[in-house]
Amino acid sequence: MSQWTIIWRKELLELARSYKLLWLPLVFLLLGVSQPIMTYFLPDILANAGNLPEGTVIEMPKPQGGEVLAQTLQQYGMIGSLIVALGFMGAVSGERSSGAASMILVKPVSRAAYLLAKWTAMLALVWGSLAVGYLGAWYYTSLLIGEVDAIRAIQALLVFALWLSVIGTLTIAASVWLRSGAAAAFSALGLALLLSLTASFLPRALAWSPGQLPGLASGFLLESMPEAAGMIIAAGAVLTAAVLYAAVWRMRRMELP
């Protein structure tokens, strides 16, 4: 059995023992199903709200199914990104502080295999959690609001999964470079926010920026995709690979206590 496989199984066991395999999918599922349900009952909630004049009639246009799923992705873009960063901020720094990393790496174990096992375990959990929550949102959207084109919905899911992969990779890389888990989460979220803000303020100059990934995912659902869709996806993949390479490079040169 390869080193990577052994460490990967160990990572999955730790995710199970820390209940991340349970609470991360549950949080994504709750966020996902709450959006279509809230959208469907929002007129009734507003109509029964207090302090409204008697006879007030609230009329709201019924949204399309794609709009509701796009709003769900916006929820994942804010809260989901925070959850991913908090969930994996101590992936390496935590084991360095506890001495677990030294116990593992003092043996003939490749540091690249050690880090890649953590990275792939993170991807498996994040992608699985996103898929569970997104499918729940898709089901309730189709049930309460209206049908969503399956191809566009899947394309949006894959693009947004890439964006969460960028955030997760930044978090693990920051956990390698920094000793504090909180600092790693703050750094990863700060870099992700910087990517998003620069892409928003300079949409033409940075039309290819990975910070455009959340907007591209929503664009598939709203049928308003930018022309540089392929470049945005390629840039996201390249950034993920570059950050991961930098983390492996640092890991190989890091001195453990």
Side-chain angles (χ1 to χ4, degrees):
M1 188 177 295
S2 67
Q3 293 179 352
W4 177 88
T5 304
I6 294 173
I7 300 174
W8 187 73
R9 292 176 61 182
K10 169 251 184 193
E11 290 300 320
L12 292 183
L13 182 60
E14 288 189 359
L15 291 176
R17 288 177 174 174
S18 62
Y19 298 103
K20 291 178 183 177
L21 286 179
L22 176 64
W23 67 260
L24 206 64
L26 280 178
V27 171
F28 271 82
L29 181 61
L30 289 174
L31 286 175
V33 301
S34 64
Q35 186 63 46
I37 293 176
M38 181 64 69
T39 301
Y40 181 77
F41 288 107
L42 184 58
D44 294 333
I45 295 174
L46 294 177
N48 292 294
N51 301 323
L52 289 178
E54 185 177 351
T56 300
V57 177
I58 299 177
E59 294 184 0
M60 299 181 63
K62 184 178 180 181
Q64 300 294 319
E67 294 175 351
V68 176
L69 273 187
Q71 292 170 2
T72 301
L73 292 183
Q74 291 177 4
Q75 291 271 36
Y76 289 151
M78 295 182 291
I79 304 176
S81 300
L82 176 63
I83 293 170
V84 171
L86 294 178
F88 295 95
M89 64 183 184
V92 178
S93 60
E95 291 195 352
R96 290 175 63 189
S97 300
S98 66
S102 299
M103 294 176 61
I104 295 174
L105 297 176
V106 74
K107 301 175 182 178
V109 174
S110 167
R111 295 193 177 195
Y114 170 81
L115 188 61
L116 290 174
K118 288 183 172 293
W119 181 71
T120 51
M122 178 274 297
L123 287 186
L125 180 54
V126 170
W127 289 355
S129 301
L130 175 62
V132 168
Y134 187 81
L135 290 175
W138 189 358
Y139 171 77
Y140 277 98
T141 298
S142 300
L143 184 67
L144 301 175
I145 308 298
E147 295 293 330
V148 182
D149 182 74
I151 295 178
R152 291 187 176 277
I154 293 173
Q155 288 172 330
L157 171 63
L158 295 176
V159 171
F160 199 83
L162 178 58
W163 174 242
L164 289 186
S165 300
V166 171
I167 295 174
T169 306
L170 287 172
T171 304
I172 289 182
S175 183
V176 174
W177 286 83
L178 304 173
R179 288 185 173 273
S180 168
F186 178 80
S187 300
L189 290 173
L191 289 172
L193 180 61
L194 180 62
L195 285 172
S196 297
L197 289 178
T198 53
S200 298
F201 292 145
L202 302 170
R204 293 187 178 180
L206 298 177
W208 48 267
S209 171
Q212 303 278 6
L213 284 170
L216 177 60
S218 297
F220 278 109
L221 295 167
L222 301 176
E223 301 183 10
S224 59
M225 294 177 295
E227 296 180 358
M231 293 179 60
I232 295 172
I233 294 172
V238 169
L239 176 61
T240 301
V243 172
L244 182 61
Y245 177 82
V248 171
W249 178 87
R250 172 62 178 166
M251 192 76 196
R252 287 173 172 169
R253 287 157 178 79
M254 185 173 57
E255 293 184 4
L256 297 174

